[in-house]
Amino acid sequence: MSDRTLPRALVMLLVAAAAVIALAGVKAIDAVVGPVVLALVLTIAVSPIRAWLTRKGAPAWVAVAVPFTVVMVFLFGMVATLTAAVVELAVLVPSYTDEFGRLAAQAQLWAAEHGISPQVNKALQSLNPAQILEFAQGLVSGVMGVLTSLFLMVVLLLAMSLDAPIISRVMAAAAAERPAMVGALTTFASKTRRYILVSTIFGLICAALDVVALYFLEVPLPLLWGLLALITNYIPNIGFVVGLVPPALLALLTGGVRGLVLVVVAYIVINVVVQSFIQPKFLGDAVGLTTTATFLSLIIWAWVLGALGALLAIPLTLLVRAVLIDSDPAAKWTGALVSGEIPRK
């Protein structure tokens, strides 16, 4: 038998092939994987409540019931709010058909004067008031598709809530024999909670400021667009752009080009300042991913799990990093490429 190792290029090719096969398998069962990951992230998010109740000597059933109730109230509230908002939007949008026709005629006249009629006409053919509704529906359908599977979500959350104390004891017992894996999973849970907490706080700040700006600019349904801004705050890099499109289009229909410009400027000032300059200072090293790794994770998980994958891109990537990289001491330089942090000697 030869002691020669496989060529590095062949190893990299095999790893890449295995990754593609694994992602394709996950994509094939995305209807199951999505709810499972969401339930796991939500269970991790409320675990401090369970730990606090346990320290205070609360009965075991209380330590399980309270975090479970918090999560269920959040899920039902989100489903109810999104459903009511989309229904209201569906009633509102058709009333702007005439206004869109007027703006389209003005755009065509301007394009004819500047010799760019074909390009403008093509853009107008693909854009109409119904696009606003379709955009909002498409964005929330992936989330609501999972959230409205309430039976599966309830079962998963209840099972994970019941098993959480047991898993905590197993992790503590395994720390002596598998310190690297236990440490990696503990770090994953801690970073996920901090990421969710910071993103939620700053998402609420951005959403509140967006609602106020849209209210003063007289854009219809400001609360819906504020909720959309909160949800898209969890989407790395491009989240605020996604949340900007529907209110900007409605501003165009209600206030013309001036209204569109004012909404775009307001969103840029609010969201770019908060998310690009203030939020990273509080988030710190909670994510532990380079900008490139974050953007690639968004692309990959959105392809695998759709809209829910975009929302859970960071927690999913942190989980993969914990299992495949952080748990392996020999992979410290791979972790450095992902996190951008030079490993300690």
PDB file of all heavy atoms in Angstrom, residues 203-223:
ATOM      1  N   GLY A 203     -33.320  46.589  13.049  1.00  0.00           N
ATOM      2  CA  GLY A 203     -34.418  46.480  12.097  1.00  0.00           C
ATOM      3  C   GLY A 203     -35.638  47.240  12.561  1.00  0.00           C
ATOM      4  O   GLY A 203     -36.315  47.903  11.761  1.00  0.00           O
ATOM      5  N   LEU A 204     -35.935  47.163  13.864  1.00  0.00           N
ATOM      6  CA  LEU A 204     -37.060  47.922  14.415  1.00  0.00           C
ATOM      7  C   LEU A 204     -36.810  49.423  14.321  1.00  0.00           C
ATOM      8  O   LEU A 204     -37.727  50.202  14.025  1.00  0.00           O
ATOM      9  CB  LEU A 204     -37.281  47.521  15.871  1.00  0.00           C
ATOM     10  CG  LEU A 204     -37.878  46.127  16.102  1.00  0.00           C
ATOM     11  CD1 LEU A 204     -37.842  45.773  17.580  1.00  0.00           C
ATOM     12  CD2 LEU A 204     -39.312  46.052  15.572  1.00  0.00           C
ATOM     13  N   ILE A 205     -35.562  49.843  14.571  1.00  0.00           N
ATOM     14  CA  ILE A 205     -35.233  51.269  14.459  1.00  0.00           C
ATOM     15  C   ILE A 205     -35.427  51.752  13.027  1.00  0.00           C
ATOM     16  O   ILE A 205     -36.077  52.783  12.780  1.00  0.00           O
ATOM     17  CB  ILE A 205     -33.783  51.518  14.922  1.00  0.00           C
ATOM     18  CG1 ILE A 205     -33.652  51.247  16.424  1.00  0.00           C
ATOM     19  CG2 ILE A 205     -33.361  52.956  14.613  1.00  0.00           C
ATOM     20  CD1 ILE A 205     -32.230  51.299  16.931  1.00  0.00           C
ATOM     21  N   CYS A 206     -34.871  50.998  12.068  1.00  0.00           N
ATOM     22  CA  CYS A 206     -35.035  51.380  10.661  1.00  0.00           C
ATOM     23  C   CYS A 206     -36.488  51.368  10.246  1.00  0.00           C
ATOM     24  O   CYS A 206     -36.958  52.271   9.540  1.00  0.00           O
ATOM     25  CB  CYS A 206     -34.225  50.435   9.768  1.00  0.00           C
ATOM     26  SG  CYS A 206     -32.446  50.669   9.829  1.00  0.00           S
ATOM     27  N   ALA A 207     -37.223  50.325  10.675  1.00  0.00           N
ATOM     28  CA  ALA A 207     -38.635  50.215  10.302  1.00  0.00           C
ATOM     29  C   ALA A 207     -39.437  51.388  10.849  1.00  0.00           C
ATOM     30  O   ALA A 207     -40.279  51.972  10.144  1.00  0.00           O
ATOM     31  CB  ALA A 207     -39.203  48.897  10.816  1.00  0.00           C
ATOM     32  N   ALA A 208     -39.188  51.767  12.101  1.00  0.00           N
ATOM     33  CA  ALA A 208     -39.919  52.889  12.694  1.00  0.00           C
ATOM     34  C   ALA A 208     -39.623  54.196  11.963  1.00  0.00           C
ATOM     35  O   ALA A 208     -40.527  54.982  11.664  1.00  0.00           O
ATOM     36  CB  ALA A 208     -39.552  53.020  14.173  1.00  0.00           C
ATOM     37  N   LEU A 209     -38.342  54.424  11.653  1.00  0.00           N
ATOM     38  CA  LEU A 209     -37.965  55.639  10.932  1.00  0.00           C
ATOM     39  C   LEU A 209     -38.540  55.639   9.514  1.00  0.00           C
ATOM     40  O   LEU A 209     -38.982  56.678   9.010  1.00  0.00           O
ATOM     41  CB  LEU A 209     -36.446  55.782  10.895  1.00  0.00           C
ATOM     42  CG  LEU A 209     -35.766  56.017  12.249  1.00  0.00           C
ATOM     43  CD1 LEU A 209     -34.251  56.011  12.094  1.00  0.00           C
ATOM     44  CD2 LEU A 209     -36.234  57.335  12.865  1.00  0.00           C
ATOM     45  N   ASP A 210     -38.559  54.462   8.875  1.00  0.00           N
ATOM     46  CA  ASP A 210     -39.135  54.364   7.527  1.00  0.00           C
ATOM     47  C   ASP A 210     -40.633  54.667   7.551  1.00  0.00           C
ATOM     48  O   ASP A 210     -41.157  55.354   6.670  1.00  0.00           O
ATOM     49  CB  ASP A 210     -38.901  52.966   6.951  1.00  0.00           C
ATOM     50  CG  ASP A 210     -37.442  52.721   6.586  1.00  0.00           C
ATOM     51  OD1 ASP A 210     -36.712  53.713   6.393  1.00  0.00           O
ATOM     52  OD2 ASP A 210     -37.045  51.549   6.504  1.00  0.00           O
ATOM     53  N   VAL A 211     -41.328  54.142   8.558  1.00  0.00           N
ATOM     54  CA  VAL A 211     -42.770  54.385   8.673  1.00  0.00           C
ATOM     55  C   VAL A 211     -43.043  55.874   8.849  1.00  0.00           C
ATOM     56  O   VAL A 211     -43.954  56.440   8.212  1.00  0.00           O
ATOM     57  CB  VAL A 211     -43.364  53.573   9.843  1.00  0.00           C
ATOM     58  CG1 VAL A 211     -44.789  54.037  10.141  1.00  0.00           C
ATOM     59  CG2 VAL A 211     -43.353  52.089   9.514  1.00  0.00           C
ATOM     60  N   VAL A 212     -42.267  56.533   9.704  1.00  0.00           N
ATOM     61  CA  VAL A 212     -42.447  57.976   9.919  1.00  0.00           C
ATOM     62  C   VAL A 212     -42.206  58.744   8.620  1.00  0.00           C
ATOM     63  O   VAL A 212     -42.994  59.636   8.246  1.00  0.00           O
ATOM     64  CB  VAL A 212     -41.503  58.481  11.028  1.00  0.00           C
ATOM     65  CG1 VAL A 212     -41.547  60.007  11.124  1.00  0.00           C
ATOM     66  CG2 VAL A 212     -41.882  57.857  12.371  1.00  0.00           C
ATOM     67  N   ALA A 213     -41.123  58.399   7.908  1.00  0.00           N
ATOM     68  CA  ALA A 213     -40.808  59.092   6.655  1.00  0.00           C
ATOM     69  C   ALA A 213     -41.904  58.873   5.619  1.00  0.00           C
ATOM     70  O   ALA A 213     -42.352  59.822   4.949  1.00  0.00           O
ATOM     71  CB  ALA A 213     -39.465  58.604   6.113  1.00  0.00           C
ATOM     72  N   LEU A 214     -42.372  57.636   5.488  1.00  0.00           N
ATOM     73  CA  LEU A 214     -43.411  57.342   4.506  1.00  0.00           C
ATOM     74  C   LEU A 214     -44.734  58.009   4.890  1.00  0.00           C
ATOM     75  O   LEU A 214     -45.505  58.424   4.007  1.00  0.00           O
ATOM     76  CB  LEU A 214     -43.603  55.823   4.388  1.00  0.00           C
ATOM     77  CG  LEU A 214     -42.417  55.042   3.817  1.00  0.00           C
ATOM     78  CD1 LEU A 214     -42.690  53.553   3.868  1.00  0.00           C
ATOM     79  CD2 LEU A 214     -42.123  55.478   2.388  1.00  0.00           C
ATOM     80  N   TYR A 215     -44.996  58.110   6.178  1.00  0.00           N
ATOM     81  CA  TYR A 215     -46.225  58.778   6.629  1.00  0.00           C
ATOM     82  C   TYR A 215     -46.217  60.256   6.234  1.00  0.00           C
ATOM     83  O   TYR A 215     -47.208  60.775   5.701  1.00  0.00           O
ATOM     84  CB  TYR A 215     -46.373  58.617   8.142  1.00  0.00           C
ATOM     85  CG  TYR A 215     -47.561  59.362   8.714  1.00  0.00           C
ATOM     86  CD1 TYR A 215     -48.836  58.832   8.628  1.00  0.00           C
ATOM     87  CD2 TYR A 215     -47.395  60.606   9.332  1.00  0.00           C
ATOM     88  CE1 TYR A 215     -49.924  59.515   9.152  1.00  0.00           C
ATOM     89  CE2 TYR A 215     -48.476  61.292   9.854  1.00  0.00           C
ATOM     90  CZ  TYR A 215     -49.738  60.740   9.758  1.00  0.00           C
ATOM     91  OH  TYR A 215     -50.819  61.427  10.264  1.00  0.00           O
ATOM     92  N   PHE A 216     -45.100  60.929   6.470  1.00  0.00           N
ATOM     93  CA  PHE A 216     -45.016  62.350   6.133  1.00  0.00           C
ATOM     94  C   PHE A 216     -44.971  62.570   4.620  1.00  0.00           C
ATOM     95  O   PHE A 216     -45.405  63.618   4.134  1.00  0.00           O
ATOM     96  CB  PHE A 216     -43.793  62.985   6.791  1.00  0.00           C
ATOM     97  CG  PHE A 216     -43.993  63.303   8.242  1.00  0.00           C
ATOM     98  CD1 PHE A 216     -43.400  62.540   9.225  1.00  0.00           C
ATOM     99  CD2 PHE A 216     -44.797  64.365   8.623  1.00  0.00           C
ATOM    100  CE1 PHE A 216     -43.592  62.824  10.566  1.00  0.00           C
ATOM    101  CE2 PHE A 216     -45.007  64.663   9.964  1.00  0.00           C
ATOM    102  CZ  PHE A 216     -44.401  63.891  10.939  1.00  0.00           C
ATOM    103  N   LEU A 217     -44.467  61.585   3.878  1.00  0.00           N
ATOM    104  CA  LEU A 217     -44.450  61.686   2.420  1.00  0.00           C
ATOM    105  C   LEU A 217     -45.763  61.215   1.802  1.00  0.00           C
ATOM    106  O   LEU A 217     -45.902  61.197   0.579  1.00  0.00           O
ATOM    107  CB  LEU A 217     -43.284  60.868   1.852  1.00  0.00           C
ATOM    108  CG  LEU A 217     -41.884  61.388   2.201  1.00  0.00           C
ATOM    109  CD1 LEU A 217     -40.814  60.416   1.695  1.00  0.00           C
ATOM    110  CD2 LEU A 217     -41.657  62.780   1.613  1.00  0.00           C
ATOM    111  N   GLU A 218     -46.716  60.785   2.662  1.00  0.00           N
ATOM    112  CA  GLU A 218     -48.060  60.379   2.241  1.00  0.00           C
ATOM    113  C   GLU A 218     -48.037  59.190   1.283  1.00  0.00           C
ATOM    114  O   GLU A 218     -48.818  59.123   0.329  1.00  0.00           O
ATOM    115  CB  GLU A 218     -48.807  61.562   1.609  1.00  0.00           C
ATOM    116  CG  GLU A 218     -49.013  62.730   2.574  1.00  0.00           C
ATOM    117  CD  GLU A 218     -49.795  63.869   1.950  1.00  0.00           C
ATOM    118  OE1 GLU A 218     -49.959  63.863   0.720  1.00  0.00           O
ATOM    119  OE2 GLU A 218     -50.240  64.760   2.688  1.00  0.00           O
ATOM    120  N   VAL A 219     -47.143  58.243   1.549  1.00  0.00           N
ATOM    121  CA  VAL A 219     -47.117  56.994   0.785  1.00  0.00           C
ATOM    122  C   VAL A 219     -48.096  56.019   1.418  1.00  0.00           C
ATOM    123  O   VAL A 219     -48.080  55.828   2.644  1.00  0.00           O
ATOM    124  CB  VAL A 219     -45.701  56.388   0.770  1.00  0.00           C
ATOM    125  CG1 VAL A 219     -45.684  55.057   0.031  1.00  0.00           C
ATOM    126  CG2 VAL A 219     -44.716  57.358   0.127  1.00  0.00           C
ATOM    127  N   PRO A 220     -48.985  55.414   0.647  1.00  0.00           N
ATOM    128  CA  PRO A 220     -49.979  54.501   1.224  1.00  0.00           C
ATOM    129  C   PRO A 220     -49.326  53.310   1.932  1.00  0.00           C
ATOM    130  O   PRO A 220     -48.228  52.874   1.588  1.00  0.00           O
ATOM    131  CB  PRO A 220     -50.785  54.039   0.000  1.00  0.00           C
ATOM    132  CG  PRO A 220     -50.572  55.101  -1.025  1.00  0.00           C
ATOM    133  CD  PRO A 220     -49.183  55.610  -0.801  1.00  0.00           C
ATOM    134  N   LEU A 221     -50.012  52.788   2.930  1.00  0.00           N
ATOM    135  CA  LEU A 221     -49.622  51.593   3.676  1.00  0.00           C
ATOM    136  C   LEU A 221     -48.224  51.687   4.289  1.00  0.00           C
ATOM    137  O   LEU A 221     -47.384  50.798   4.114  1.00  0.00           O
ATOM    138  CB  LEU A 221     -49.694  50.352   2.766  1.00  0.00           C
ATOM    139  CG  LEU A 221     -51.033  50.086   2.078  1.00  0.00           C
ATOM    140  CD1 LEU A 221     -50.928  48.873   1.168  1.00  0.00           C
ATOM    141  CD2 LEU A 221     -52.125  49.878   3.110  1.00  0.00           C
ATOM    142  N   PRO A 222     -47.924  52.736   5.025  1.00  0.00           N
ATOM    143  CA  PRO A 222     -46.574  52.852   5.602  1.00  0.00           C
ATOM    144  C   PRO A 222     -46.245  51.732   6.585  1.00  0.00           C
ATOM    145  O   PRO A 222     -45.085  51.314   6.685  1.00  0.00           O
ATOM    146  CB  PRO A 222     -46.607  54.221   6.301  1.00  0.00           C
ATOM    147  CG  PRO A 222     -48.054  54.490   6.553  1.00  0.00           C
ATOM    148  CD  PRO A 222     -48.781  53.870   5.404  1.00  0.00           C
ATOM    149  N   LEU A 223     -47.257  51.218   7.317  1.00  0.00           N
ATOM    150  CA  LEU A 223     -46.986  50.149   8.272  1.00  0.00           C
ATOM    151  C   LEU A 223     -46.547  48.877   7.569  1.00  0.00           C
ATOM    152  O   LEU A 223     -45.670  48.152   8.066  1.00  0.00           O
ATOM    153  CB  LEU A 223     -48.230  49.883   9.127  1.00  0.00           C
ATOM    154  CG  LEU A 223     -48.610  50.990  10.119  1.00  0.00           C
ATOM    155  CD1 LEU A 223     -49.886  50.615  10.865  1.00  0.00           C
ATOM    156  CD2 LEU A 223     -47.476  51.241  11.105  1.00  0.00           C
TER     157      LEU A 223
END
